[in-house]
Each structure stands twice: as structure tokens, then as C-alpha cells.
Amino acid sequence: MEIGIGLPGHALWSDGRQFVEWARRAEARGFSSVAVSDRLLWSTPEPLTVLSAVAAATHRIRLVTSVLLAPLHTNHLLFAKSILTLDHIAGPHRLQLGLAAGFRQDDFTTSGVEYTRRGAQLDALVGVLHDAFNDRAGINLPPATPGGPPLFFGGTSAASIRRVATRGTGWLAGTASVKDLIEFVPRLSDAWTAHGRVDSPRVVTAAMFAIGPDAKEAVRRAIGPYYAFAGEEWAQYGIDSALTSPDQITAAVAEFAQNGCDELILTGNNTDPGQVDLLADALGW
């Protein structure tokens, strides 16, 4: 199982240059990917902008949107051109697009995007991406990655499963437990096979972490406000399930690896780039 690292964009950051330093250190310490989350009505940085900066500062590490609120990008052709441009800046086989319909209604209402049609918007956008990746959208910019950057889809609905099975490389969960994997992946595999796909869908999931003497407090400060919209119980669950010690981290890595996870993205909750080195040390790298 590969291990990626998620940037702490949901935490209380103040210097965007820290994200680039996180990525440099992640590449130097051997992490497989650097991932960026997405949320509109929060201080979370815009994912494609961040990944453009990261692409310019690194050479090998994969760049992942985990996950992009795709229906908010209503000009599908412009979005496709942005993705193709980033694919060229990064170089072949580095960019991986995790896309989801989203579930925070206020992000859509504020944007003037009809919430109830977000799934249809996502499907339409994916169709335009497919045409653009195959040089059929009139952009005249073929992808740097042959066939275009691989698409991953978040969510566990029937529509999400359909998207993975028909258009995707795999499933990308912004957060998921081992129990979630055990319950969901067989459904996904059945749909994958039913659509005539060979091999297996790639399974990527994420877990929150912080490490060091103030790890628990860093998690509380970052996750509590970020998940407050979903209620106190959900926010507390996020805080309680975060990994805050080397022993918890190594145990979680082993458990995810044993239950069908192909890549685990460990998402930071302390903005200090030193967290990257502490995590690598905890993993024994």
C-alpha cells in the first residue's frame, strides 16, 4: 500500500508557502502523493491553484484533488482546459483527479448552482473532460498524460459507484474507516465487473493525523470548527478518530493495508511543515 500526505488546508493556516514546503518535504521523504481538499465557504485554499504551485516545486510526487467539488465548475470546457494546463505543468502521470458531487448545500446556494442538479452537472462535466482528454473538445491541447489524468470519484451512492465503474480509475474517499472499506468495496467491485472492467478499481482513502506533544490540541482546533456544520457528534467523531501518535499511525496503516486499500492519504491538522518529517519518522522511513 502506498502512503500519501494531505495538506492541512482546513486548519488555521496563514502562509500559503507552507503548502509548497509540505510538498517538497513529502517528495523528499518518499510519500506517493500530495493531496488537496476542497470546500468553498471555508478558508481551504483553491485546489488547482495550490497544485499548480506544488507541481512547479516538485518533480516526482503525484498531485491529487481529494476531492474536488466538481459541479461548482459550471463552465465545463474552461475547467477541462485548466486541468489540461495543470497536467502539462506537472508533467505526465502526476495529476490524479478526485471528483465528487458535494453535499454542503450552502456551497451551491452561494454559487448560484442548483443543488438538486449537482449529480447531473458532475456527469456532464465528466463527459466534457473525456472529450477534452481525447482531443475532441476543440481546445486543441492534448493531455501530457496519455488518455488524460485518471479520474477518481468520491461518495458511496449508486451514482458514485456507476461513475467509478464506467468512467473512473477508482474510488477516493476524503475520509473513511476500515469498516467503510469492508462494507463498500465489494459493492464497487461487483459494479466494476458488471460493466466489463478488468483488474480492480483502485481504492484510495484518507485519515486525519497530527503528531507531536500538541497533536490532540491541533486536531481539536482544526477538525472541530471544520466539521461543526454537520453537528457536534460528527465533529467529535472526527476529532476522536484522528491519529495522534506513532503507534496509532502504524496500526492504522497496517489495518488499511490488510483490508483492500491501495493508497492511504494521511491528512495533516497542524500547518507546521515539520509534521511531514515527524510522520515519515513515525512510519520508519
Side-chain angles (χ1 to χ4, degrees):
M1 182 182 74
E2 295 181 303
I3 300 177
I5 198 159
L7 301 182
H10 62 288
L12 299 176
W13 62 276
S14 59
D15 187 346
R17 292 170 295 184
Q18 288 183 314
F19 299 133
V20 176
E21 181 60 22
W22 269 70
R24 287 195 184 106
R25 295 193 188 199
E27 181 168 82
R29 294 303 298 261
F31 289 94
S32 55
S33 301
V34 58
V36 185
S37 61
D38 191 14
R39 182 167 154 187
L40 183 60
L41 298 183
W42 194 254
S43 57
T44 313
E46 197 284 312
L48 300 184
T49 305
V50 173
L51 291 183
S52 293
V54 167
T58 56
H59 303 282
R60 171 199 58 81
I61 199 164
R62 289 195 302 265
L63 315 175
V64 180
T65 59
S66 175
V67 285
L68 199 67
L69 300 178
L72 296 181
H73 297 265
T74 54
N75 186 327
H76 300 162
L77 199 60
L78 178 59
F79 176 75
K81 189 161 191 178
S82 297
I83 295 304
L84 289 168
T85 302
L86 179 54
D87 183 41
H88 277 271
I89 292 172
H93 306 291
R94 292 187 66 196
L95 179 60
Q96 295 190 345
L97 285 179
L99 308 175
F103 65 94
R104 277 180 55 95
Q105 188 165 350
D106 54 351
D107 283 343
F108 292 84
T109 301
T110 304
S111 302
V113 177
E114 190 175 347
Y115 181 73
T116 59
R117 288 191 48 78
R118 67 195 189 283
Q121 281 276 15
L122 174 54
D123 288 336
L125 181 144
V126 170
V128 172
L129 281 177
H130 184 265
D131 287 345
F133 291 170
N134 290 279
D135 203 20
R136 294 199 301 263
I139 295 175
N140 297 318
L141 179 62
T145 302
L151 302 182
F152 291 75
F153 296 96
T156 57
S157 66
S160 297
I161 292 174
R162 170 183 55 77
R163 292 182 188 110
V164 175
T166 58
R167 295 284 200 178
T169 295
W171 178 59
L172 198 161
T175 55
S177 66
V178 169
K179 181 175 180 289
D180 294 329
L181 258 67
I182 293 171
E183 293 176 351
F184 178 73
V185 172
R187 294 170 53 206
L188 178 62
S189 297
D190 289 345
W192 185 270
T193 302
H195 281 86
R197 305 288 297 272
V198 296
D199 300 323
S200 301
R202 182 170 170 82
V203 175
V204 182
T205 189
M208 296 286 195
F209 90 93
I211 199 163
D214 63 343
K216 291 184 182 297
E217 177 61 18
V219 162
R220 185 192 65 78
R221 288 196 308 265
I223 294 179
Y226 186 66
Y227 284 141
F229 76 93
E232 182 177 349
E233 182 177 350
W234 179 260
Q236 191 61 49
Y237 171 79
I239 293 169
D240 293 343
S241 60
L243 310 173
T244 55
S245 73
D247 287 346
Q248 287 182 330
I249 288 167
T250 54
V253 166
E255 193 173 11
F256 275 102
Q258 292 166 4
N259 286 279
C261 185
D262 296 303
E263 182 176 20
L264 176 63
I265 295 172
L266 295 169
T267 302
N269 287 268
N270 180 336
T271 60
D272 181 3
Q275 290 283 296
V276 178
D277 297 305
L278 291 174
L279 178 59
D281 292 344
L283 293 167
W285 294 359

